Amino acid sequence: METTPKELHIHTNTTPSGEELDQEFIQRIHSNLANSHSKTNANNSSSPTETEASIMTRGMMKILRCITHNPLSKFIFRLPTLADACQCQSQTSNTFVLFLITNILEHPKMTFGGLVASAIVLDLIFILPGYLLAMLITEWGVYFCIGTFVLMMGRFVLRMIAFPGATPRLKGEVEMEFQKYSVRMLENAVEAIGELALLIVSKENDALLNGNGNENGNGVKAERMLGKTYGRYDVIPLWKKVWQYRDRVLGMYHDVLHCLLVQGGEGNRSSESGDNGLTKFGNNRMEGDIGKLLDVSERAKLDGKEIVAALKKVLDDLERLESSAGDYLNSSMNTIDAKTVTPDGIRAAQRLFVSVTELGDCLLSLADSSTGGGRNSGEDDGDDASQESEINGRRKPVLTQGLDSVKAAINGILETIDPPPLHTIFGLDALRGSMLSRYRGAKQIWIPRPKSQGGGHIDAIHLPSSGVSRKASNRDSIEKAVMFCNPNAGLVEVAMGFSLISGNVADPTSLEFTCWADYYLHHGYDVILFNYTGYGRSHAGSRKTKADLARGIHIFRRMFSSTFFGFKPSPASLKADATATASHIIEKLRVDKFLIHGESIGGMAASGAANVISNRKYVDSNSLPVTYPTLLICDRTFCNLNATAFRLVGSWTQHVIPLITPLWNTNVAGDFTSARCRKVVAQDAQDVIIHDASSLKKGISTAKEFTKGETKGLGTFGDAPLTYRMADLENVGVQESTYAKFPAKIQLQAPVWPADKHIDLPEAFHFAACARRIGKVATKIRKQKLLKSTEKFEDEEEGIEITAVFSRDTDQQTPASNQNEDVDIILQVWDTLGLCDGLTGLPLGAAVKDGYDSTMDWLSGMVTLGSQRVVLAAEKRCKSSQSKHISFENVTVEDQDFEVSFAPILESSGTPPFPLPYVSQALQAVVESCDAISDDNPIKIVQNELEYCIKMFQYIQERISSKQSVINALQVAHFKDTFDDFSTGRFLNLQCGHNNQYSNKERSELTAILTEAIESESSLA
């Protein structure tokens, strides 16, 4: 076979190595030098100008030779450059920064051209429009337009961070995960059914097993596929497994996809539904608007129809197998030996194997697309091409890589503004249908939004505790119902997860409490879930149709309208949606006892709705006044959005957020305290998302103690007074600063009970400064000791170590506390002080670590919400020693009632926190022994600060233990307050994190609260 010249050129064009390039370079230099010498000798008789040029050339060559042979020059030339480093690391690293640096160094001309092109693009996008705009308006008008553009971009970014559930990106991630899960479950079902069919055929037909009498050798194939891992008795458990897959996977997906593709997404309970409202597969008969598949591509719909047909065939073959071999499959271990499969059963198994194989073939395309996302396959193609080029040993041209990167970035921006059609049938509509199939009586409902908020409808789901769908004509009231407000990244479609084995269709008592819906259904509550407007299908204005989502030129119209005129979620819209949903539940569904539960940002929606609903006038069936909601639960939420951003992002957000969103009202603490209903605030002090100082718990306690009920601007107290900051900088006592004298007019006395009913801000700042001063001195002493002992010391911030070396049991003191060195006293003092329990989740040392405002929050939380835990423990003790029925006036607080925390609070400390009375007594003993301690002891340096802390602790203990405080705390904890004044609500201390489920202990405590608040006979009129 002859080879074309082009092919010959390709085969011979090999890339030379580095050594070959060097040898070729040296040979060319020698040849050039030889030619120059020969020309010089041949032209010796030339003109004087040429002779001088040759002499100069030889001189330059000598100079260059001296430079190149110099050892220093050789060392410098051999130093690796940045390009060499990038070239070496390019084999193991694939970061964008390395890719950028490498291409800049390797292609300077292209880099320069790219910079010029970027400058031109920048001029065309920003400079030229501004110049043209300046011809129409003044210079200040241009500045105004630029400022407006920056403001809109800032609001856009803030909305993406605050309301990620409304972004197409999160929706796409949910759809991708659900597709992967669905394909995996269907593949598992296909595998189990195929194994059952082969097992029946191979074990009951010897000829087929041995391959005799079968020209196609199916018996050999069956034996090879089974691998002889199954025995005759494995048919029974395998059949039970297949039957579960039939009902929970195949039957459910068939019903959902048939409803979406054949019935147009309109669920009903009339056809193929028994008296119990279940399908023949034991799933709930879907009711309501399941979905119109508006954002699903036509190709995905065709694939879905093929899957429905394949599922229908497999289900029919399974039913045929049961009818012909049911006696054999449903037999027990004792009777299976006496039974055989009839020829009809074997043929049914063979047919089942063929149909389930066809279903597996339909899933292959879905499995391929599920590995890369459901909406756009362009990125997958790019990844496949890059992988193929790497395998073939060829690198894509730099220009191609750059264009691919720009294309991917542009596609990402366009997909964020206007998502492309979904390339899989397993989207949010299918996910919604699968969720409705798992819960008895579940129904989708549309709730109208108020016209003042732009109209539209809210997509909601009603899960009845009775398992019976509620008819629109039913005027009977629901006994108990709960409205759950989702977190900011939550969608109602994923509120119960993806698991197909969850729900209560199989057994109403089999709920495992994997979500809040299961928990409330188990306790007899109807559950109403809804999507905020902008989330999922909830919308403002008219609902979108297929024509609105058309591709082509309509994309630009849709992008423009959605960017400038489309609905965008805001705190006001979330509160309005929750209020509209709560009003619909109370007025349309008619509920006797109504609970609102909001988690994370859902607490803002829940508290806003409760504040509005609780101030309305309602009457019950007997025309008696009744207040809704019966109970409000704000679960791990914040006091306001600015405080959360201040702690999570940075202090600069407290100036930026009010600037770009001046009309946003995120004052959760204000709505919570103003709601005239029973309420619970549940918080985890170690929440990694919502900092303890920005939590609703701290907002309530701070407003109650320091700001006389004012809740605006909570979350930070600002900078500490200059006196304390300068003293801390000079490393002197809190009142001993040289540059910032302590004002003489400020009283330094700690508050005294009962003369002082509250702690003032100056007193709280002084306490925070004293605690920080003690911790700073103790940490410095500990560092010096560890350096002397040549041990490694982590240079952390001063005043934050909480290492427990001081034991409460004098017989079990650690070695450090048994040492007689005077310097150990200050260490013991700080270790005791730092582990003082704040009764709301954190010890004092952890608060000191976070700064002055966290220490002040620790102080206010102890005297407001923390006191509830103490008095409840005292009440429990009094009831156990006296009688079950005891009045609030007869409850007395003792020192042992302060021991409400037994588990270690900090992960770094294995010691439980110390109760307040113990800390106060231990520190008082140290102060009393100071007279016998030498003046050079470090404890003398902080004696004044230590005495102030002791007095503050004594004030807190006396205040919490006083009769009036006990009565007030018990009234709030037992929902007996009148809500006319500032109402803090019941406090529930958590240790489960931000996104995790409650522990068994926390869930039991919540159940007791619900029983007391909801099911008690007393009601608030």
Side-chain angles (χ1 to χ4, degrees), residues 78-95 98-99 101-103 105-106 395:
R78 292 175 181 175
L79 288 176
T81 62
L82 182 60
D84 298 330
C86 294
Q87 187 68 25
C88 295
Q89 296 181 6
S90 61
Q91 300 177 357
T92 58
S93 178
N94 193 24
T95 61
L98 182 61
F99 166 80
I101 295 176
T102 303
N103 285 279
L105 295 174
E106 292 181 352
R395 293 183 59 185

Side-chain angles (χ1 to χ4, degrees), residues 688-713:
V688 296
I689 302 298
I690 298 177
H691 193 275
D692 188 57
S694 62
S695 63
L696 177 60
K697 170 190 68 177
K698 291 302 183 182
I700 295 171
S701 59
T702 300
K704 177 72 174 179
E705 189 65 20
F706 296 138
T707 63
K708 298 181 180 181
E710 179 60 43
T711 57
K712 293 183 179 179

Side-chain angles (χ1 to χ4, degrees), residues 104 107-125 127:
I104 289 176
H107 307 279
K109 295 182 178 179
M110 187 173 295
T111 302
F112 177 76
L115 293 176
V116 173
S118 301
I120 295 175
V121 172
L122 182 64
D123 292 341
L124 293 176
I125 295 179
I127 307 301

